[in-house]
Amino acid sequence: MRVRQNIVVFTGAGISAESGISTFRDKDGLWENYDAMRLASIDGFREDPEAVLEFYNERRWQLFDAKPNHAHYALSELEKQHDVTIITQNVDDLHERAGSSKVIHLHGELTKVTSSRDREDDRCIKYYPLNLPIYIGHKADDGSQLRPYIVWFGEELRYIEEARQLVESADIFVVIGTSLVVYPAAGLVGYARHDIPKFIVDPSDMEGKLPEGYLHIKAKAVEGIDILLEELKKL
Ligand code: APR
């Protein structure tokens, strides 16, 4: 495949699993051990902000120690041949640390903090060192309680419309490491044109989860990305 293609890659927690970051719904996933509605929803934050901040301080610390893996690097490397846009549900910055230049975070970013009065107030969205905890009493620039820049359950996604348009315009669409159960993000798989090559890399059965036309590479990301690159060469 010589011509530069517009490749859109949609990723989830699975791509960062081999970097030591827990997924959510696998057998030892976060939501197996923690109450998602208490710790990752806007109602939970209103009820017990201390518990929510502590939970995210732990996750920010875990990310501080994590490193991108071969799958992250391979996607950034692919930019040498193609226009690659990554739409991720992940709040980690491993795509960026691997060198990917176009990354859209649908569910927020752990490396940033914001206002608890208006989460999407750009004047309050700031980078914040991952090894610095956020505590009750820490203030955003608008004087409100500081919170992690994460989209919690019950909150709107700022970039979903932009993401849908990107998927609709893709020449090739790739899905890596997502269980496709959280909407509206999971609905993106339905926006890829039917006549383009579509792939999913995931070690689990994706039975009944995907519209027609997706080639399932049943492997973990680090192994599956090389199989995907071979498939792309055949196009
Ligand atoms: N490589 C590739 N895929 C993997 C790997 C791996 N090493 N390990 C697990 N997976 C797959 C699982 O089979 C599963 O399909 O990754 C997927 C992880 O699914 P979830 O844990 O549900 O994560 P995700 O789909 O990203 O969750 C979506 O839910 O909790 C919210 O906001 C949170 O963004 C998150 C959203």
Side-chain angles (χ1 to χ4, degrees):
M1 186 168 48
R2 301 255 168 287
V3 185
R4 247 185 121 70
Q5 300 282 310
N6 171 18
I7 302 182
V8 174
V9 184
F10 177 43
T11 66
I15 197 170
S16 297
E18 292 156 280
S19 292
I21 298 196
S22 318
T23 64
F24 297 94
R25 293 172 188 82
D26 288 306
K27 72 176 174 5
D28 50 2
L30 275 177
W31 301 150
E32 298 305 310
N33 304 308
Y34 295 94
D35 177 346
M37 287 308 128
R38 180 169 162 262
L39 296 171
S41 76
I42 186 62
D43 294 341
F45 183 69
R46 291 195 182 112
E47 272 154 41
D48 189 351
E50 207 154 355
V52 172
L53 291 181
E54 195 186 318
F55 174 70
Y56 281 95
N57 284 339
E58 270 171 42
R59 295 187 61 201
R60 297 174 65 247
W61 193 250
Q62 187 193 41
L63 178 56
F64 181 72
D65 286 333
K67 297 204 171 17
N69 62 51
H70 170 60
H72 296 108
Y73 285 113
L75 289 176
S76 81
E77 193 66 22
L78 197 56
E79 291 189 20
K80 290 190 178 133
Q81 298 151 282
H82 301 290
D83 297 329
V84 181
T85 302
I86 295 175
I87 300 169
T88 187
Q89 297 168 88
N90 299 345
V91 294
D92 66 53
D93 61 341
L94 299 181
H95 283 302
E96 289 91 340
R97 279 199 245 162
S100 287
S101 63
K102 281 187 267 176
V103 184
I104 293 176
H105 288 267
L106 294 177
H107 295 160
E109 300 174 64
L110 272 177
T111 54
K112 296 178 180 173
V113 293
T114 187
S115 150
S116 51
R117 190 175 300 137
D118 177 2
R119 188 195 72 218
E120 292 298 349
D121 180 346
D122 288 329
R123 293 164 302 175
C124 294
I125 300 171
K126 297 256 167 17
Y127 280 98
Y128 197 80
L130 286 168
N131 57 346
L132 265 191
I134 308 169
Y135 290 129
I136 297 295
H138 284 171
K139 298 291 182 213
D141 287 8
D142 65 359
S144 70
Q145 169 62 49
L146 201 62
R147 60 166 276 184
Y149 182 59
I150 300 292
V151 180
W152 285 324
F153 289 108
E155 295 191 305
E156 300 288 319
L157 276 61
R158 176 175 178 173
Y159 299 110
I160 192 66
E161 195 41 48
E162 186 181 339
R164 286 173 180 145
Q165 288 166 16
L166 282 164
V167 175
E168 278 171 345
S169 70
D171 298 324
I172 298 170
F173 186 53
V174 177
V175 179
I176 305 178
T178 174
S179 59
L180 296 174
V181 296
V182 175
Y183 285 79
L188 287 176
V189 295
Y191 285 80
R193 292 198 316 276
H194 75 281
D195 60 347
I196 66 165
K198 296 182 281 290
F199 304 88
I200 180 158
V201 179
D202 197 298
S204 70
D205 273 338
M206 299 302 284
E207 226 49 59
K209 285 193 178 175
L210 286 167
E212 256 177 68
Y214 280 78
L215 177 75
H216 183 191
I217 297 170
K218 203 165 185 293
K220 292 185 173 181
V222 167
E223 181 201 348
I225 200 82
D226 293 330
I227 301 170
L228 173 76
L229 294 176
E230 287 309 310
E231 290 293 331
L232 294 181
K233 282 188 196 137
K234 294 181 198 159
L235 295 177

